[in-house]
């Protein structure tokens, strides 16, 4: 396992109780290593004879057609997937409830290239009762941003595209209601804290370059430029900065990362 997964494995081991399904939320910025760590942890605990499932918050995204409706009805920025309000929280809640009840459940999956959810016929089956479900995502476990902070634009995207705060106020309200209902199902929260928000742009550009190298010419043709990456992550900046400030005080474990995504400290909640 990589250093992040290794740091989390012992924590999760201490949280497990035989016969009780455990849902662990793993929060981290784009390209922080949370998906890789989640997959490695799943293999690790499966190798110990446990029934383990993985679910990404990204797998709960609403498709582009549904988001186009949100963009028309509420605000154009909802065409871009990412913020609270662009996820199918009802399916997420039903999935986590099935896990907690010890039932078998199909785990949702999203096709990012098609920008639509995969057909439920293609979802993997998690045989119940399961011992551990890892739910990872960029804002997993987040709390709403205080209204005084929401009122002030944090970047050019908010200032120019959302001058009245309609978009950010809507996703913040969703985070306090429907998204909060989803996150309430999490038993334990782990947070991968970046050294700064600015490093997220570097990490995301590196990730984009890696995708291009893996997938060849077809992926390269659709790849984002560095400028497009900057605009994309601007959608996440407001909540990411709030998570960096607020989550370490209540996460069950916070792993501080350096610019190379290497853990430099592990802090447990007292």
């Amino acid at each position: 396992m990589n250093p992040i997964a290794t740091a989390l494995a012992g924590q999760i081991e201490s949280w497990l109780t035989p016969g009780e399904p455990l849902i662990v939320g793993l929060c981290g910025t784009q390209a922080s290593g949370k998906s890789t760590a989640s997959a490695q942890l799943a293999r690790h605990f499966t190798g110990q004879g446990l029934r383990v499932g993985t679910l990404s918050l990204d797998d709960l995204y609403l498709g582009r057609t549904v988001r186009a409706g949100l963009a028309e009805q509420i605000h154009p920025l909802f065409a871009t997937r990412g913020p609270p309000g662009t996820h199918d929280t009802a399916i997420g809640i039903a999935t986590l409830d099935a896990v907690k009840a010890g039932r078998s459940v199909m785990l949702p999956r999203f096709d990012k290239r098609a920008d639509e959810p995969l057909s439920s016929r293609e979802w993997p089956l998690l045989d119940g009762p399961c011992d551990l479900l890892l739910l990872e995502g960029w804002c997993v476990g987040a709390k709403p941003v205080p209204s005084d902070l929401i009122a002030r634009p944090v970047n050019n995207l908010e200032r120019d595209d959302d001058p009245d705060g309609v978009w950010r106020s809507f996703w913040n309200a969703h985070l306090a209601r429907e998204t909060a209902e989803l996150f309430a199902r999490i038993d334990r929260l782990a947070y991968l804290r970046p050294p700064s928000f600015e490093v997220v742009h570097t990490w995301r550009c590196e990730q984009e370059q890696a995708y291009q190298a893996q997938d060849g010419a077809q992926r390269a043709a659709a790849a984002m430029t560095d400028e497009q990456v900057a605009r994309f992550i601007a959608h996440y900046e407001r909540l990411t900065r709030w998570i960096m400030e607020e989550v370490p005080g209540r996460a069950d474990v916070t792993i501080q990362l350096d610019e190379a995504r290497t853990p430099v400290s592990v802090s447990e909640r007292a």
Side-chain angles (χ1 to χ4, degrees), residues 73-256:
Q73 297 167 18
I74 301 168
H75 193 283
L77 286 177
F78 277 111
T80 300
R81 62 182 187 238
T86 63
H87 303 92
D88 190 334
T89 53
I91 287 181
I93 288 169
T95 301
L96 299 193
D97 283 349
V99 169
K100 295 301 288 185
R103 301 194 302 270
S104 297
V105 63
M106 305 298 288
L107 297 176
R109 291 295 186 258
F110 189 86
D111 184 343
K112 289 186 176 179
R113 287 189 177 180
D115 200 10
E116 292 288 349
L118 282 175
S119 165
S120 58
R121 295 188 299 274
E122 300 180 66
W123 296 359
L125 172 67
L126 176 59
D127 278 326
C130 111
D131 299 290
L132 172 65
L133 179 74
L134 298 160
L135 172 63
E136 58 90 359
W138 78 276
C139 66
V140 164
K143 298 288 188 182
V145 181
S147 57
D148 60 324
L149 296 181
I150 279 287
R152 298 192 300 271
V154 74
N155 55 30
N156 290 342
L157 178 81
E158 291 188 357
R159 184 196 65 204
D160 298 339
D161 293 46
D162 187 36
D164 298 326
V166 172
W167 170 71
R168 55 190 186 269
S169 295
F170 185 91
W171 64 246
N172 201 44
H174 198 283
L175 183 57
R177 298 190 307 263
E178 295 91 337
T179 305
E181 286 295 313
L182 173 65
F183 294 160
R185 270 73 178 170
I186 296 170
D187 298 307
R188 297 283 187 168
L189 179 63
Y191 176 43
L192 306 181
R193 191 180 191 278
S196 66
F197 176 78
E198 287 70 27
V199 78
V200 179
H201 180 262
T202 301
W203 289 352
R204 189 61 183 81
C205 287
E206 291 173 352
Q207 186 180 58
E208 195 71 15
Q209 292 162 10
Y211 288 158
Q212 294 177 43
Q214 291 170 3
D215 295 347
Q218 182 179 4
R219 181 64 175 85
M224 289 191 288
T225 65
D226 288 1
E227 291 75 16
Q228 288 172 324
V229 168
R231 177 174 172 82
F232 179 67
I233 64 173
H235 292 75
Y236 300 76
E237 181 174 357
R238 164 72 61 184
L239 187 51
T240 297
R241 288 187 181 276
W242 174 239
I243 289 170
M244 290 176 64
E245 179 180 343
E246 189 271 334
V247 168
R250 61 181 176 81
D252 293 282
V253 61
T254 296
I255 298 178
Q256 179 65 54

